[in-house]
Amino acid sequence: MNILLFSAEELSASGQLSLTDRRAEHLRKVLKAQAGDDIRVGQINGEMGTARLLDINEERARLEVTLNAEAPPPLDLTLILALPRPKMMRRVIQSTVSLGVKRIYLINSYKVEKSYWQTPWLEAASLRENSLLGLEQGVDTVLPEIHMRKLFKPFVEDELPQIIAGSDAWVAHPTSEAQSPHVNGPLTLAVGPEGGFTPYEVKKLEEIGFKGFTLGKRILRVETVIPALIGKLYL
């Protein structure tokens, strides 16, 4: 937890915050915070700042909050991502959000098993929880927009052209010859399942303006590809 996040509803009219959950436990057990310490905090979808720890015990932590800084700028990036395997889902959301991605589309693909769409990791509460963990890691406050599209062809033909309008659109694919794109403005990246999109899916993406690129000859896990690619492009 590199920043302690709270909702607007949790903050009292006098600017105080009272915590009794894992955040208080983290202050006590991990940070070993004591009364008088300053803690980096942020209001979800709002400003960041510091909080003076007023008192802390086994049951509660009480802080006085001052917000005076904007959240870091987001990446001008839209991620189109074939739904990962459920056991990867948690890590993928956390790492992607921690890197500053604010627009994520989880889509279907031929290699995505139907059962993946039944995972509890896709429930709204789970997506929010893992997004918050990503924000805590990356020192950010703004939650991402996460959309789910279970039908590949209608999404690509009817909706995706409007999504990519005004941006460079690239699809990562192991058999492409071009190297990773350069960032010159808004960017839309499509990342398939492990092994990549099928040739038909790549063709459909190319028909609406996507260009293919590769990260090399190795076949990487999705949880590895996204941080590697975003790091190469932006960091």
Side-chain angles (χ1 to χ4, degrees):
M1 185 187 295
N2 295 317
I3 186 171
L4 188 153
L5 298 176
F6 61 90
S7 65
E9 294 77 16
E10 292 180 289
L11 194 63
S12 73
S14 62
Q16 291 191 6
L17 186 64
S18 182
L19 304 176
T20 59
D21 56 11
R22 70 171 182 89
R23 295 168 295 178
E25 183 177 6
H26 186 88
L27 291 175
R28 187 174 63 253
K29 293 185 177 181
V30 179
L31 298 183
K32 302 187 185 305
Q34 299 179 355
D37 288 351
D38 288 330
I39 309 298
R40 181 159 50 189
V41 298
Q43 181 174 303
I44 297 170
N45 290 328
E47 291 184 316
M48 303 191 305
T50 58
R52 178 65 53 87
L53 184 59
L54 300 176
D55 56 70
I56 186 168
N57 54 42
E58 293 294 324
E59 297 179 353
R60 185 188 70 168
R62 194 165 58 94
L63 306 98
E64 187 172 47
V65 174
T66 301
L67 300 176
N68 53 17
E70 297 293 327
L75 299 183
D76 199 355
L77 167 68
T78 300
L79 179 64
I80 312 296
L81 178 63
L83 186 67
R85 288 180 291 152
K87 69 178 184 179
M88 271 190 200
M89 190 69 198
R90 179 173 175 269
R91 296 192 297 272
V92 168
I93 293 297
Q94 289 183 28
S95 63
T96 302
V97 172
S98 72
L99 289 164
V101 179
K102 301 300 181 185
R103 296 181 299 276
I104 304 169
Y105 287 81
L106 300 173
I107 69 169
N108 201 24
S109 169
Y110 180 78
K111 296 177 184 178
V112 172
E113 295 185 16
K114 291 182 180 179
S115 62
Y116 291 3
W117 290 101
Q118 307 304 317
T119 176
W121 294 118
L122 289 179
E123 294 177 0
S126 179
L127 289 174
R128 179 181 171 86
E129 177 186 0
N130 285 296
S131 294
L132 288 172
L133 291 172
L135 294 177
E136 288 177 354
Q137 176 64 42
V139 190
D140 196 352
T141 66
V142 181
L143 287 165
E145 299 175 4
I146 302 178
H147 309 274
M148 288 175 276
R149 300 294 185 265
K150 296 183 180 181
L151 298 176
F152 178 86
K153 188 169 181 283
F155 171 69
V156 172
E157 291 182 345
D158 302 335
E159 189 174 357
L160 194 51
Q162 287 73 43
I163 294 172
I164 69 173
S167 72
D168 285 334
W170 292 82
V171 52
H173 194 61
T175 62
S176 297
E177 296 183 358
Q179 298 300 307
S180 57
H182 297 288
V183 178
N184 295 312
L187 189 65
T188 303
L189 291 178
V191 178
E194 290 179 22
F197 290 113
T198 66
Y200 167 81
E201 291 167 340
V202 173
K203 181 181 178 183
K204 295 299 290 184
L205 291 168
E206 290 176 341
E207 285 175 355
I208 64 168
F210 277 81
K211 295 165 283 189
F213 73 96
T214 180
L215 284 174
K217 295 183 179 180
R218 298 181 185 274
I219 305 298
L220 304 174
R221 293 182 183 273
V222 174
E223 61 188 303
T224 303
V225 167
I226 294 174
L229 180 56
I230 293 175
K232 185 175 183 179
L233 292 172
Y234 291 98
L235 303 181

